[in-house]
């Protein structure tokens, strides 16, 4: 079946540095990808919608200059957490919508990336 | 906030019993999906119910949807210890953006 891969699965970075998380659709093309954040013992919150070749659409309250999203190809979207702070430590999950889907609403989730900022 | 509400927040049952969790939401939806998440892991898709459907079954899972009340329920029958996880409802709009419920933490005691 279709697979969405995230890399890295775990990353530790120093406060003030930037870290990039990749989301790849491995065997399908995804014109749209979504980024979610999940704090411990909480639900997933949609951060932004990433469209291939255009700017991402951010949810209210999400700083676009802090969470840079690039969707340069039909199989890759990246989330860069800039000037990371300990409060950015979280579980980040992406999902991808298959561009051509007979079912019409096929969404696949990645395995998530744990970010710890020390 | 477009986040859904789930209850109960936590549920503890004996193996073999049924588990029911409820989800309420605020906006119009294209479909509603239920996911399972083991601690610290990604999401596992369980079942999708479209806005024009009222009930759906998959193995030991039964999902209902009442769009007039903006609510859904997930029933897991004959629970197993391996069902222990967090369960989230997710409301999908026409743009496939998902807004998740607050989650139910299920513990099945062997």
């Amino acid at each position: 079946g279709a697979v969405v891969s995230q890399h890295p699965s775990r990353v530790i970075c120093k406060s003030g540095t930037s870290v990039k998380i990749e989301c790849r659709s491995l065997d399908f093309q995804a014109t749209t990808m979504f980024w979610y954040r999940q704090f411990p013992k909480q639900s997933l919150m949609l951060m932004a919608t990433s469209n291939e070749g255009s700017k991402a659409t951010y949810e209210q309250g999400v700083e676009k200059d802090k969470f840079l999203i690039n969707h340069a190809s039909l199989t890759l979207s990246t989330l860069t957490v800039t000037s990371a702070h300990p409060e950015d430590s979280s579980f980040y999950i992406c999902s991808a919508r298959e561009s051509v889907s007979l079912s019409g609403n096929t969404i696949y989730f990645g395995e998530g990336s744990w970010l710890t900022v020390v | 906030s477009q986040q859904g509400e789930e209850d109960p927040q936590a549920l503890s049952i004996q193996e073999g019993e049924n588990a029911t969790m409820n989800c309420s939401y605020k906006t119009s939806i294209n479909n509603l999906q239920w996911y399972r998440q083991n601690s610290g892991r990604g999401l596992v898709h369980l079942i999708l119910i479209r806005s024009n459907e009222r009930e759906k079954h998959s193995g030991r899972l039964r999902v209902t949807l009442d769009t007039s009340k903006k609510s859904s329920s997930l029933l897991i029958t004959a629970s197993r210890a391996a069902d222990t996880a967090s369960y989230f409802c997710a409301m999908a709009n026409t743009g496939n953006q998902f807004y998740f419920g607050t989650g139910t933490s299920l513990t099945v005691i062997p």
Side-chain angles (χ1 to χ4, degrees), chain B residues 27-73:
Chain B
T27 62
S28 297
I29 61 170
N30 184 289
N31 64 73
L32 186 146
Q33 305 189 32
W34 284 88
Y35 287 85
R36 164 199 168 119
Q37 184 182 40
N38 287 81
S39 181
R41 303 295 301 277
L43 298 174
V44 174
H45 181 259
L46 295 176
I47 195 165
L48 178 155
I49 186 166
R50 302 188 191 285
S51 58
N52 61 353
E53 297 176 314
R54 291 297 167 258
E55 187 170 313
K56 206 160 183 182
H57 297 253
S58 177
R60 294 185 294 115
L61 305 179
R62 191 190 95 174
V63 169
T64 63
L65 178 64
D66 186 335
T67 53
S68 66
K69 295 181 179 179
K70 290 186 165 58
S71 66
S72 174
S73 68

Side-chain angles (χ1 to χ4, degrees), chain B residues 4-15:
Chain B
E5 295 284 333
E6 285 184 61
D7 77 272
Q9 191 174 17
L11 179 61
S12 183
I13 58 174
Q14 295 289 331
E15 202 166 30

Side-chain angles (χ1 to χ4, degrees), chain A residues 10-19 21 39 66-67 81-92 114-118:
Chain A
R10 289 182 180 274
V11 58
I12 299 173
C13 72
K14 291 185 177 180
S15 188
T17 63
S18 295
V19 61
I21 300 170
F39 292 110
K66 180 167 183 63
F67 299 99
V81 183
T82 63
S83 187
H85 290 281
E87 56 264 32
D88 297 324
S89 298
S90 185
F91 191 49
Y92 292 87
W114 279 105
L115 170 64
T116 302
V117 184
V118 297

Side-chain angles (χ1 to χ4, degrees), chain A:
Chain A
V3 175
V4 173
S5 173
Q6 278 187 243
H7 177 80
S9 57
R10 289 182 180 274
V11 58
I12 299 173
C13 72
K14 291 185 177 180
S15 188
T17 63
S18 295
V19 61
K20 181 186 290 186
I21 300 170
E22 294 184 346
C23 177
R24 292 182 186 273
S25 55
L26 296 185
D27 54 0
F28 67 97
Q29 293 185 331
T31 53
T32 306
M33 292 184 174
F34 306 89
W35 287 95
Y36 297 83
R37 177 170 55 183
Q38 184 181 31
F39 292 110
K41 298 189 184 302
Q42 295 188 26
S43 186
L44 290 85
M45 299 298 291
L46 177 65
M47 297 175 68
T49 302
S50 168
N51 297 298
E52 186 266 337
S54 65
K55 291 183 179 180
T57 305
Y58 290 81
E59 294 295 297
Q60 193 173 15
V62 178
E63 299 174 61
K64 63 179 181 180
D65 294 331
K66 180 167 183 63
F67 299 99
L68 300 179
I69 291 172
N70 184 286
H71 193 160
S73 79
L74 287 171
T75 59
L76 174 64
S77 176
T78 60
L79 168 68
T80 301
V81 183
T82 63
S83 187
H85 290 281
E87 56 264 32
D88 297 324
S89 298
S90 185
F91 191 49
Y92 292 87
I93 303 179
C94 71
S95 68
R97 179 174 69 182
E98 192 170 4
S99 299
V100 179
S101 169
L102 294 177
S103 69
N105 285 303
T106 309
I107 296 287
Y108 302 97
F109 279 87
E111 276 292 306
S113 299
W114 279 105
L115 170 64
T116 302
V117 184
V118 297

